[in-house]
């Protein structure tokens, strides 16, 4: 199972919006609405930010939103804040009954 | 409050074995599938294995199939990962996470470090 494709890095200034893409195939992202996004700060465990493509867990800021079109899912962060600087990973369930992560995207807040 | 605590990591020689444990609390353990996810030093996340709530179904990434065995003891609220035939490529921080198929990884432990080296 190949990893989902994410950009290695993205950046934005405080207050701006950024979008991180996550491209898979018709066997994973395109087949199921079980796409989730995780935030990981250095030295910390990952934290669930978005699940089932576009749902936010309780306690996650409304600045975080998710969407999907075909085989590509996206995470958008609006009103960037310094605390958003972290690594972000997408994840999808697959037709092989496995889960696959993206390679990760490092977000830099300028 | 959900709490996941991994243990059992350490230094092991290539070809050796190790058994990881994950003690769970704060939720009805037997109702949820559980997973192991690893992260090699400086690298991204890799899903490793999962097990259904009742323990009757298990799933593995191709990279560990035939070498790793996931299991659980619902009477002890504990998840396990038996790792055999370890190689340097298995060196990673191993996280226990609640969730798998139609349920996201909503809670994670802090991880236990496995180092495979001679």
């Amino acid at each position: 199972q190949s990893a989902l494709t994410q950009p290695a890095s993205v950046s934005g200034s405080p207050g701006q919006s950024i979008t991180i893409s996550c491209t898979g195939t018709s066997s994973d992202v395109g087949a199921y609405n079980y796409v989730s996004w995780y935030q990981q700060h250095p030295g910390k465990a990952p934290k669930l930010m978005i699940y089932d493509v576009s749902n936010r867990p309780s306690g996650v800021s409304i600045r975080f939103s998710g969407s999907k079109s075909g085989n590509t899912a996206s995470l958008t962060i609006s009103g960037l804040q310094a605390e958003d600087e972290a690594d972000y990973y997408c994840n999808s369930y697959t037709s092989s009954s496995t889960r696959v992560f993206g390679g990760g995207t490092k977000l830099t807040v300028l | 409050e959900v709490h996941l605590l991994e243990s059992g990591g350490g230094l092991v020689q290539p070809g050796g074995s190790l058994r990881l444990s994950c003690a769970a609390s704060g939720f009805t353990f037997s109702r949820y599938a559980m997973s192991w996810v690893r992260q090699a030093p400086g690298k991204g996340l890799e899903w490793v294995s999962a097990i259904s709530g009742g323990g009757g179904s298990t799933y593995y990434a191709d990279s560990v199939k035939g070498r790793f065995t996931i299991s659980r003891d619902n009477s002890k609220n504990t998840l396990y990962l038996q790792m055999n035939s370890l190689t340097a490529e298995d060196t990673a921080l191993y996280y226990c996470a609640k969730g798998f198929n139609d349920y996201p990884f909503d809670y994670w432990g802090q991880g236990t470090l496995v180092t495979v080296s001679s």
Side-chain angles (χ1 to χ4, degrees), chain A residues 36-72:
Chain A
S36 47
W37 289 89
Y38 301 85
Q39 176 192 66
Q40 187 180 35
H41 287 109
K44 300 295 186 181
K47 175 186 176 183
L48 177 66
M49 304 302 285
I50 295 288
Y51 68 96
D52 296 353
V53 175
S54 59
N55 293 304
R56 262 187 326 273
S58 174
V60 172
S61 171
I62 61 172
R63 299 186 297 106
F64 290 82
S65 62
S67 62
K68 189 185 87 167
S69 178
N71 296 338
T72 299

Side-chain angles (χ1 to χ4, degrees), chain A:
Chain A
Q1 181 67 46
S2 299
L4 307 176
T5 300
Q6 298 181 230
S9 63
V10 298
S11 62
S13 299
Q16 289 186 330
S17 294
I18 63 95
T19 296
I20 300 172
S21 61
C22 170
T23 300
T25 70
S26 58
S27 296
D28 38 63
V29 175
Y32 304 94
N33 286 327
Y34 298 141
V35 175
S36 47
W37 289 89
Y38 301 85
Q39 176 192 66
Q40 187 180 35
H41 287 109
K44 300 295 186 181
K47 175 186 176 183
L48 177 66
M49 304 302 285
I50 295 288
Y51 68 96
D52 296 353
V53 175
S54 59
N55 293 304
R56 262 187 326 273
S58 174
V60 172
S61 171
I62 61 172
R63 299 186 297 106
F64 290 82
S65 62
S67 62
K68 189 185 87 167
S69 178
N71 296 338
T72 299
S74 298
L75 172 71
T76 298
I77 308 173
S78 59
L80 268 180
Q81 299 180 1
E83 67 207 48
D84 300 331
E85 185 163 295
D87 293 326
Y88 291 85
Y89 296 90
C90 61
N91 179 273
S92 176
Y93 186 64
T94 82
S95 60
S96 301
S97 298
T98 63
R99 278 269 184 181
V100 63
F101 282 96
T105 298
K106 181 177 180 59
L107 169 62
T108 300
V109 180
L110 302 171

